[in-house]
Amino acid sequence: MLKIRNLHATIENKEILRGINLDINHGEVHAIMGPNGSGKSTLSAVLAGREIYKVTKGEVLFDGKNLFDLSPEERAREGLFLAFQYPVEIPGVSIVNFLKTALEEKRKHLGLEPMSPSEFLKMMREKKELVEFDSKLENRAVNAGFSGGEKKKNEILQMAFLDPKLAILDETDSGLDIDALRIVANGVNKLKNENNSFVVITHYQRLLDYIVPDFVHVVFNGRIVKSGDKNLALELEEKGYDWIKKEVDELNN
Amino acid sequence: MDESKKIINQLQDKKYDAGFTTNIEQDIFPPGLNEDVIRKISEIKEEPEWFLEWRLKAFRFWQKQKMPNWAHLDFEPIDFQAISYYAAPKNTPKYNSLDEVDPELLDTYKRLGIPLEEQKILAGVAVDVVFDSTSVHTTFKKELEKLGIIFCSMSEAIKEHPELVKKYIGSVVPYSDNIISALNTAVFSDGSFVYIPKGVRSPVELSSYFRINAINTGQFERTLIIADEDSYVSYLEGCTAPQRDENQFHAAVVEIVALKNAEVKYSTVQNWYPGNKEGKGGIYNFVVKRGMCKGDYSKIFWTQVETGSAITWKYPSTLLMGDNSISEFYSVAVTNNMQQADTGSKMIHFGKNTRSRIVSKGISIGKSQNSYRGLVDIKKTAENSRNYTQCDSLLIGDKCGAHTFPYINVDNQTATVEHEATTTKIAEDQIFYCQQRGLDEEKAVALIVNGFAREVMAKLPMEFAAEAKKLLEITLEGSVG
């Protein structure tokens, strides 16, 4: 599904990613953890195609295609989805209108006819139920005046609609209370199947109680410095990141 | 960021889609303005003596006026003597059916997406087409006549309904109001006239399409809408003009009178040629639009979507005379390239418990300048009156400008006046968010702009809303690649 090879990226000439290597197969959930400023969010932004980051070295294959040959919107239509850490407000554009526009772009890309209004409404009902989305929000403008939790639930609803091959959740748990966290995690678990993959970026073990990862990676200083199974997350929760930093320092000396 | 710049450049390169001209023989006056020109216009129109006198008074007043310079607009002084003041299609007969109309004229309408016949039937719209200065077609007239509704050209109204014209023309916008109203009164060649009798609701949206199509010919329409007691009418005005190199000067006057309990909706979609990327050749659009809520409980609603013209200078306004009268103004104004707009509204409250609302959305692209200018004037007599004003500006790119000039005057302490203003830029992260959901940049910008303008678009009548949305998208459209 996704092969990241020796990925280096900079922002304003400052190197943030210094050689990321990662393989993600169909049906896997990968958690990416690490201290602030280690490069976790940069990785998600680079994969999604944010222009302020420059890729200086390395390659990424997404389902066999060179990811960097694709524009951000092409990556999205090909099935790469980023749940934003800070979802953006689009005043005056209702969630329904936004979902419909996004879905039609994807269908057009796949050579499908536009959905009929009744099909769309049916899909809307199903997806809302799946992710426990409050119907009262659907006619409101995208994220305008939403609480932190509502914004994140909106991200999950969009994910459910677009049915991505690879979904990256960038600190989706930040700013969520425990109920919202559970709803968001349940949504992810329901959408999970053997054909899609998830990358969950988080600071905390808490989210991983609900979304159980197959692999946990620790990013530090722009590299993956340690990988393991879900127990690694528990270990980090217990010991913090300092021991990882120490290990890395020792390796370097 | 480079991508964003690219799309902004593409937006600026958008060509004017309705740019073509029709070759129909025209009667045209040589350039210049004097009393003889006015007499000649009046003679061609077979106007009564009192009307000519009124025109001449206006002309003499106009001669003493200078163009004011308070607007946030930058343009060369207009040489009024270089303009021709009358053009009419040759030998204008009154047609009984579309078959008799010059096919080339009909073709022009078709290319503009105004198929008269389908439009009449499908949309239920009676169309009074002003082609340059002379009305060539009035539809649905007979059916409206059964209800006592008068919907005809202004010249016809002067002949057929002189008592109504005499009573109301100039009663809302006197010729002495300003230089534009004086000029228009002196030289207007035609326009639309609407009278809705007591207790009658117009069953169709009344619609008039204006189109400028002659070189260097000023277009001076005059519109008068009278809604008698307890009546209702919705009037639509839409414009588009062919591409021309010379600046075309346009000075219209619209007057609306709403008597007791009457309601008038006046909607405009304006798409005149804005000039090329350097600002050459666009239309100068100076318009005086004013309504009077004359009777108690009367209502006047203005809605406008403005995307065209090199220079737009207009402030649809309402005089709220009757107690409990209501007026609203909803506007979207888009400026691109070198376009300049100084537009807004005036709400002048005289009556008790009068209410007004102004919602203005300005969108600036390229090097354009978009100004909101509004006046809320609460007179001493206007007990418990209220105004709410909201003006929002959206900037696309970093070379354009948005300006807000609100004037508020309150002479009655029981009044409530609220003003809100925002200026936003389409943010790179908004575009990226949309891209991450599969929209390309152009679509993302169109979506964001439509969202920004939604509150106003929702106020347009159904059949106009689709056209306006399309217009907005075309205005933003760039050639991708």
Side-chain angles (χ1 to χ4, degrees), chain A residues 48-51 72-73 76-77 80-82 84 88-93 98 101-102 105 143 155 158, chain B residues 1-4 428-441 443 447-448 450-452 454 469:
Chain A
R50 191 136 209 175
E51 281 180 42
E73 61 269 23
R77 293 171 198 157
L80 187 144
F81 183 91
L82 173 63
F84 285 68
V88 177
E89 295 188 9
I90 309 178
V93 178
F98 189 68
T101 310
E105 288 300 318
N143 296 324
E155 294 295 286
Q158 292 177 42
Chain B
M1 290 308 258
D2 292 347
E3 271 299 307
S4 301
E428 187 260 342
D429 62 350
Q430 280 179 313
I431 292 175
F432 182 70
Y433 188 75
C434 295
Q435 283 181 297
Q436 216 303 303
R437 300 303 183 248
L439 283 66
D440 61 29
E441 287 197 69
K443 199 132 199 169
L447 188 81
I448 294 164
N450 261 312
F452 175 76
R454 186 171 76 158
K469 189 164 178 272

Side-chain angles (χ1 to χ4, degrees), chain A residues 124-170:
Chain A
M124 189 78 199
R125 264 199 310 276
E126 287 168 6
K127 300 297 183 186
K128 275 190 311 196
E129 216 176 284
L130 190 72
V131 299
E132 298 175 53
F133 192 81
D134 188 346
S135 289
K136 272 181 271 175
L137 292 175
E138 73 188 48
N139 288 312
R140 281 179 48 190
V142 176
N143 296 324
F146 282 25
S147 71
E150 285 168 341
K151 284 183 184 174
K152 298 300 170 73
K153 285 182 208 167
N154 186 19
E155 294 295 286
I156 302 302
L157 177 69
Q158 292 177 42
M159 185 170 84
F161 248 86
L162 296 171
D163 190 23
K165 291 182 209 157
L166 175 71
I168 304 165
L169 281 66
D170 188 6

